[in-house]
Amino acid sequence: MGTAALANRSPAALDEYARALLHALARDEAAGRRAPRLTEPGLATWQRFRGRLASADLLRLLAEDAAVGYPIPFDLRGHAAELDLARVDDDLVDAWLRDLPSLDLAQPGAAYIEAQAKRLGVTTRLARKELHQVKQHQKVLELPGTGGQLGYHIVTTQDEPTLQVNCIIACGDWRELALAGICALDAGAPPRSEFIVAASAEDLASDTHPLRKQQFDFVVGVRPDKGGKLDVADQLALWFHGAKVVLV
């Protein structure tokens, strides 16, 4: 590849983000939650109206439309400047569209979220069976490190809780934010993201952080030997007095 091509190539982080969004949009279409565009046979509507627009413009337009309701995950430029979809390569979108027919857009949610987590570089080494039953009136804080995977497991395997009512998902970086938004979209959470909060482990160490002032019944996260950054359960119990701390 020549120097000019390398200079124009979108960064790896942006490529990963773009692929995650494309998959999320296509799965949402397949589930009937939005009009088919990526999954429409022959991309008929796009081919009819695209004019001089290129493949990456299709992604950008679909993401802009989705971001009206779900700014997380579809517009993270305020959290990471490199996630500007205007810089995505047309070749990347073309390659993904060619692969689209081979994707199982109706695969079980747990497998889909795990695949998205791996794509985004978020740990999937989680003992989800160790999580507790959550009642309708209880609140759960998901610590940075898992990007909503634990909340997603809770609300998709238990009858009472929902993400928007029962969970707060703290995210330490854009990858976790993107995954948390994808989890919310797939779990059918309403189009708002107040329950997804940009908060790193360092942020939570401050006793003035707003999450430290809230009451939670459960604080859940990943164990330190699996990459967790908040590794002292006793300390977490002091920070979140009265909460049951579960690191999996």
Side-chain angles (χ1 to χ4, degrees):
M1 183 179 293
T3 303
L6 285 172
N8 293 328
R9 182 171 168 75
S10 55
L14 179 56
D15 287 358
E16 294 161 0
Y17 176 59
R19 290 179 188 275
L21 294 189
L22 283 163
H23 196 166
L25 287 164
R27 181 175 169 90
D28 225 33
E29 290 180 11
R33 292 189 289 262
R34 67 182 65 242
R37 291 296 179 262
L38 293 168
T39 57
E40 186 179 21
L43 296 173
T45 301
W46 172 244
Q47 297 297 351
R48 190 178 310 122
F49 295 107
R50 67 183 298 178
R52 296 183 178 180
L53 296 177
S55 299
D57 293 310
L58 173 61
L59 166 61
R60 179 177 56 80
L61 291 169
L62 291 176
E64 286 179 0
D65 181 62
V68 173
Y70 292 88
I72 299 174
F74 292 106
D75 185 3
L76 296 184
R77 289 171 296 177
H79 301 278
E82 68 267 29
L83 302 183
D84 182 359
L85 294 175
R87 299 178 59 198
V88 173
D89 293 335
D90 293 323
D91 288 347
L92 179 141
V93 180
D94 287 334
W96 188 88
L97 290 172
R98 287 194 297 271
D99 290 341
L100 176 57
S102 68
L103 296 179
D104 180 4
L105 298 177
Q107 70 183 134
Y112 163 70
I113 293 300
E114 182 174 350
Q116 287 283 45
K118 289 179 178 177
R119 176 178 287 120
L120 291 165
V122 180
T123 184
T124 59
R125 299 172 57 217
L126 306 170
R128 295 168 180 82
K129 292 183 179 179
E130 296 180 14
L131 296 171
H132 291 235
Q133 193 77 20
V134 177
K135 300 299 182 183
Q136 194 171 29
H137 65 280
Q138 294 179 317
K139 294 288 286 186
V140 179
L141 171 63
E142 183 170 343
L143 296 170
T146 51
Q149 293 176 86
L150 300 181
Y152 180 88
H153 177 81
I154 289 169
V155 303
T156 57
T157 60
Q158 300 180 21
D159 293 332
E160 296 187 18
T162 63
L163 283 178
Q164 66 272 18
V165 172
N166 300 93
C167 299
I168 298 291
I169 303 169
C171 300
D173 58 25
W174 73 261
R175 295 175 183 276
E176 293 173 23
L177 282 168
L179 183 60
I182 288 168
C183 286
L185 187 70
D186 205 65
R192 61 183 180 83
S193 57
E194 289 88 346
F195 53 89
I196 302 174
V197 179
S200 66
E202 291 76 16
D203 293 332
L204 293 183
S206 169
D207 58 10
T208 62
H209 193 278
L211 288 178
R212 292 278 299 274
K213 302 180 185 302
Q214 295 190 38
Q215 292 293 315
F216 295 99
D217 297 283
F218 299 100
V219 173
V220 301
V222 61
R223 288 173 11 201
D225 60 312
K226 297 180 179 179
K229 295 181 180 179
L230 291 167
D231 58 354
V232 183
D234 290 343
Q235 182 65 63
L236 288 168
L238 290 174
W239 287 0
F240 302 101
H241 182 69
K244 174 69 175 179
V245 178
V246 183
L247 302 180
V248 301

